[in-house]
Amino acid sequence: MNALTQNERNALARAVLELDVNNHAGVMSHVVGLFSRRAYNVDGILVMPVGDGGKSRIWLLVNEDARLPQMIKQVEKLEDVLAVRRHGADHAVFERLEEFFQA
Amino acid sequence: MSATPTEIRNAAAEAACRSAVETLSGAQIVVRLLERQGITTVAGIPGGAILPLYDALSETDRIHHVLARHEQGAGFMAQGMARATGKPAVCLASSGPGATNLLTAIADAKLDSIPIVAITGQVPKAMIGTDAFQEVDTYGLTIPITKHNFLVSSAEELLDVIPRAFTIAASGRPGPVLVDIPKDVQNQRIEVTEWPAPGLPEPAPAADAAAILAAVEMIAQAEKPILYLGGGVVHSGAAPLAVALAEKASLPTVMTLMALGAMPVDHPLSLGMLGMHGARCTNLALDECDLLIAVGARFDDRATGKVAAFCPGAKIIHIDIDPSELDKIKTAHVGIAGDVGEVLRALLPLVQPTLRKRWLSHVAGLKVAHPLQTPGIDDPRTHYGLIAAVAAALDDEATVATDVGQHQMWVAQAYPLRRPRQWLTSGGLGTMGFGVPAAIGAALAEPQRTVVCFTGDGSILMNIQELVTAAEEGANVKIVLMNNATLGLVYQQQTLFYGERIYASKFQAVPDFIKVAEGFGIRAVDLDRADQPRAALAEALNTPGPCLIHASIDRHEKVYPMVPPGASNKDMIGG
Ligand SMILES: Cc1ncc(C[n+]2csc(CCOP(=O)(O)OP(=O)(O)O)c2C)c(N)n1
Ligand SMILES: [Mg+2]
């Protein structure tokens, strides 16, 4: 049996979401709560402020299933979410982090 | 309750005149912003963490504070004001238990898209996270049940947050917004040089013109179309447009529980309420339709039954202001994101007048063959008869609120609702205890109307304490208590689906509701003892002020037809 490469596995099952958000204390719980209360698994989260710190960017590594388009629409409805972009699981942002996540 | 945009602008202009540089506390700023917003009535209960705000409220005579007897009551009063007027309304509570008591009313507003602004006190900032007395994470608790929420960290922020709270509550798909204000922020004094504009609803983004054209084409092609109206039609003020579309394109029309009143039930095109307790003819017509035009409706499971079997042969046009509703439950052939009023206004001139004789006469045949059965409707001592007798004693200006249970469904089926915002009911959350405080709120917002609240012996006890609030306010609410000494809807389900194993649904002890009402200071009329129940009813309904009207109902009565939970709508039982 051919083993899937990491990339292929990701491409099948995962997606990366890039969110531009207002940077304040409650934003993360708004975003993450949306996924957890719908039992939608988030595998990876990365957040850093951008520019002068008034805004942040959140990267989410999520399962890709039939509910993803609905999840994205729900995320877009959040007041503090300014934009949502969807990428394939092969996006560099989580791959470059892999060295920090060796078992 | 709140004011029209013009009134708001006038109030703001007036307020602007008296504003030089002022030094004000956060609490005074909130009160001033509420005044500028045109808010004239708020409901709440004070407590330690919100006392600065109450102190500031005591200084204004432009806002009437209604002292509820439980914060859930205050929340539902705000809902009653907002549902009756369509404008955001305000409730207040202290930290900790005050805030947790509000939660049910907030969640209810979320599910039915009702614009309320809840303002809660919080422990001082420095004590947050210390398990201080009456500290609870109100912000965290309300994330999933609000449209948006704020934890305010400075008095300056209030100048931005309060107007935004109103804008968010009323824009797009309306909903509840919570503003949590720590006590020290309420006490913080700052100089205010300039006041922000009141928060008004933002216009919805324009709908896709190509999609509208595609919808026009689908309506022209359809042979057996049905118009399916939801609460969004009422929220958008689009009921007259929806009726006009139905008339122009000859569309038999069904309504969700939330949309009742959007088209008068006795309109020739009306098929009344669809779904779990809809008439057979309504669900059967839906089963046959080849085009379903969903307007401001969200394909709720009580409306659709088993989704896969809902309108199995139909193409779907779905119009909704909330893009996340499109394709959520059913994939639309044409989905149009936009304010339903604006979309209907654009659609209407493009739709060809059509007669559709075959389809309309077929639907008329279904109505004759499978109408809603309302046994006893001529006898005011039966459930349907009581509802009909109440309606006969009132006109369309009356507002009709309900609690939750069999009585709610019977009223939804049998009351001749003819006016949008005439009907106030807890649809999405189905909250027992909604009725009495919501009716009080509606009566305070529109004192010229008579507000009837149909309630049950179970539901009324969940917010019975607000009877004294009704007495105190002299609210013109008529509470029609349909007393079956039973949690009737539960009893019905146990009878039908749990092998008649009746458990925990029959009350052993039933209060003397006449004495209870009188004890709370409101008039009570017992129809059971009236020789002329119609006359007694008409007299009670048409005498101003709060009144409880008590009527016994046979607990064996059922709400029929009924689609068993999980079944398809065409597999109704009874009726
Ligand atoms: C707060 C709350 N608790 C429980 C329920 C479940 N429930 C739905 S209807 C009902 C019975 C309502 O009894 P009553 O108010 O007497 O109305 P009836 O059905 O007898 O007309 C119950 C317990 C609910 N909807 N809301
Ligand atoms: Mg009952």
Side-chain angles (χ1 to χ4, degrees):
Chain A
M1 198 177 90
N2 286 339
L4 294 173
T5 66
Q6 173 83 11
N7 277 357
E8 280 168 339
R9 204 163 44 235
N10 286 350
L12 281 180
R14 307 253 195 93
V16 168
L17 301 181
E18 179 187 4
L19 281 58
D20 295 334
V21 301
N22 290 321
N23 180 13
H24 70 78
V27 179
M28 276 297 286
S29 40
H30 276 262
V31 171
V32 174
L34 199 57
F35 285 84
S36 58
R37 68 175 172 267
R38 284 158 200 260
Y40 201 105
N41 203 42
V42 176
D43 280 339
I45 307 176
L46 195 59
V47 199
M48 292 286 277
V50 290
D52 65 1
K55 310 261 180 284
S56 296
R57 184 157 301 140
I58 303 179
W59 293 91
L60 300 174
L61 179 62
V62 297
N63 286 355
E64 168 138 41
D65 69 31
R67 295 177 300 159
L68 188 56
Q70 173 63 207
M71 284 308 307
I72 292 175
K73 287 184 186 176
Q74 293 294 340
V75 175
E76 285 171 335
K77 284 202 317 189
L78 294 175
E79 273 302 309
D80 286 315
V81 172
L82 309 169
V84 182
R85 288 174 292 273
R86 178 177 170 171
H87 305 281
D90 55 350
H91 192 279
V93 64
F94 285 103
E95 292 203 343
R96 291 200 204 152
L97 280 172
E98 265 177 24
E99 63 173 290
F100 296 99
F101 290 88
Q102 309 291 340
Chain B
M1 74 179 274
S2 59
T4 65
T6 325
E7 283 163 8
I8 291 174
R9 270 190 295 275
N10 290 345
E14 193 189 311
C17 292
R18 42 185 179 92
S19 83
V21 179
E22 290 172 279
T23 303
L24 296 171
S25 70
Q28 289 170 315
I29 290 171
V30 172
V31 171
R32 195 70 72 78
L33 290 168
L34 293 179
E35 289 174 358
R36 292 170 55 87
Q37 195 68 43
I39 296 296
T40 54
T41 307
V42 299
I45 300 190
I50 200 167
L51 274 180
L53 183 60
Y54 270 78
D55 199 35
L57 266 178
S58 76
E59 293 165 3
T60 179
D61 50 16
R62 294 171 60 181
I63 297 178
H64 172 57
H65 178 267
V66 178
L67 181 59
R69 299 316 201 254
H70 185 297
E71 288 83 356
Q72 189 185 111
F76 281 133
M77 284 176 209
Q79 275 216 39
M81 296 187 246
R83 287 178 189 249
T85 64
K87 291 167 206 138
V90 177
C91 55
L92 308 174
S94 195
S95 66
T100 54
N101 273 351
L102 268 186
L103 296 179
T104 300
I106 295 174
D108 188 280
K110 177 80 177 342
L111 279 170
D112 284 349
S113 306
I114 305 302
I116 61 169
V117 174
I119 301 178
T120 47
Q122 183 53 278
V123 301
K125 272 192 302 177
M127 295 174 77
I128 290 180
T130 66
D131 298 329
F133 178 62
Q134 296 194 330
E135 181 191 356
V136 76
D137 176 10
T138 305
Y139 183 86
L141 282 170
T142 52
I143 287 175
I145 57 169
T146 52
K147 188 170 170 194
H148 192 56
N149 61 357
F150 297 94
L151 173 55
V152 183
S153 61
S154 70
E156 285 87 12
E157 250 180 67
L158 289 167
L159 291 165
D160 174 51
V161 164
I162 300 291
R164 261 186 72 206
F166 282 91
T167 296
I168 293 168
S171 300
R173 178 179 187 168
V177 177
L178 178 127
V179 184
D180 197 29
I181 315 178
K183 193 172 184 181
D184 55 324
V185 173
Q186 296 172 49
N187 283 325
Q188 185 192 357
R189 296 179 71 80
I190 58 165
E191 276 190 1
V192 182
T193 47
E194 218 184 321
W195 290 94
L200 297 176
E202 281 162 358
D208 175 4
I212 291 177
L213 287 178
V216 170
E217 188 53 32
M218 279 172 78
I219 294 170
Q221 298 297 323
E223 284 176 15
K224 298 182 283 180
I226 286 186
L227 185 60
Y228 157 41
L229 305 180
V233 172
V234 175
H235 296 320
S236 160
L241 289 162
V243 174
L245 175 66
E247 289 170 350
K248 191 168 182 190
S250 294
L251 307 172
T253 301
V254 302
M255 287 169 273
T256 66
L257 182 68
M258 295 305 298
L260 293 177
M263 174 183 272
V265 278
D266 31 19
H267 190 289
L269 288 167
S270 171
L271 280 163
M273 181 171 71
L274 81 158
M276 184 175 268
H277 296 296
R280 279 184 177 265
C281 55
T282 311
N283 287 335
L284 292 174
L286 281 161
D287 198 55
E288 289 183 37
C289 74
D290 67 355
L291 175 66
L292 185 69
I293 308 160
V295 186
R298 61 182 174 85
F299 294 83
D300 174 76
D301 51 274
R302 298 286 135 141
T304 62
K306 185 176 170 192
V307 178
F310 181 61
C311 301
K315 291 195 167 162
I316 293 174
I317 298 171
H318 192 177
I319 309 170
D320 203 285
I321 199 160
D322 180 353
S324 72
E325 286 302 340
L326 305 179
D327 305 334
K328 184 182 85 175
I329 304 289
K330 272 259 190 197
T331 306
H333 299 79
V334 174
I336 306 176
D339 173 75
V340 296
E342 282 168 29
V343 174
L344 290 178
R345 202 167 287 118
L347 198 68
L348 206 44
L350 305 176
V351 168
Q352 289 302 313
T354 320
L355 281 180
R356 275 190 238 283
K357 271 200 188 143
R358 278 241 310 265
W359 176 229
L360 291 191
S361 72
H362 180 69
V363 170
L366 285 176
K367 277 190 183 184
V368 172
H370 309 283
L372 185 74
Q373 307 282 344
T374 51
I377 193 140
D378 294 322
D379 174 2
R381 295 195 197 277
T382 70
H383 52 300
Y384 284 125
L386 175 61
I387 293 163
V390 170
L394 296 166
D395 62 20
D396 295 344
E397 294 308 304
T399 297
V400 181
T402 73
D403 254 306
V404 170
Q406 291 182 311
H407 63 277
Q408 173 192 32
M409 291 300 129
W410 287 323
V411 180
Q413 291 176 326
Y415 198 100
L417 296 162
R418 300 195 180 95
R419 173 173 70 78
R421 300 201 178 283
Q422 183 180 16
W423 169 244
L424 318 179
T425 202
S426 169
L429 198 64
T431 312
M432 292 168 70
F434 169 93
V436 169
I440 295 171
L444 293 170
E446 300 189 314
Q448 75 281 12
R449 295 189 195 279
T450 300
V451 182
V452 192
C453 170
F454 289 92
T455 185
D457 50 298
S459 293
I460 195 174
L461 288 175
M462 293 217 183
N463 273 316
I464 189 89
Q465 75 288 345
E466 303 310 335
L467 291 185
V468 71
T469 314
E472 189 165 286
E473 296 291 328
N476 194 19
V477 291
K478 314 297 174 194
I479 298 157
V480 179
L481 170 54
M482 300 175 73
N483 183 2
N484 51 11
T486 300
L487 296 169
L489 208 52
V490 174
Y491 185 91
Q492 170 165 348
Q493 299 225 29
Q494 290 174 336
T495 306
L496 297 177
F497 309 120
Y498 291 85
E500 300 188 46
R501 289 181 299 281
I502 305 302
Y503 185 77
S505 57
K506 243 166 38 179
F507 290 120
Q508 303 302 313
V510 178
D512 179 338
F513 284 106
I514 300 294
K515 278 193 192 149
V516 168
E518 287 170 353
F520 276 116
I522 77 173
R523 196 181 156 210
V525 172
D526 193 352
L527 289 190
D528 293 354
R529 288 158 190 261
D531 298 332
Q532 308 271 343
R534 278 180 201 283
L537 191 57
E539 190 276 333
L541 290 170
N542 291 302
T543 308
C547 181
L548 181 115
I549 298 160
H550 175 268
S552 292
I553 299 294
D554 181 353
R555 71 158 59 96
H556 299 101
E557 293 295 352
K558 304 275 182 291
V559 187
Y560 283 138
M562 178 173 196
V563 178
S568 122
N569 275 358
K570 66 174 192 304
D571 298 325
M572 292 155 278
I573 52 176

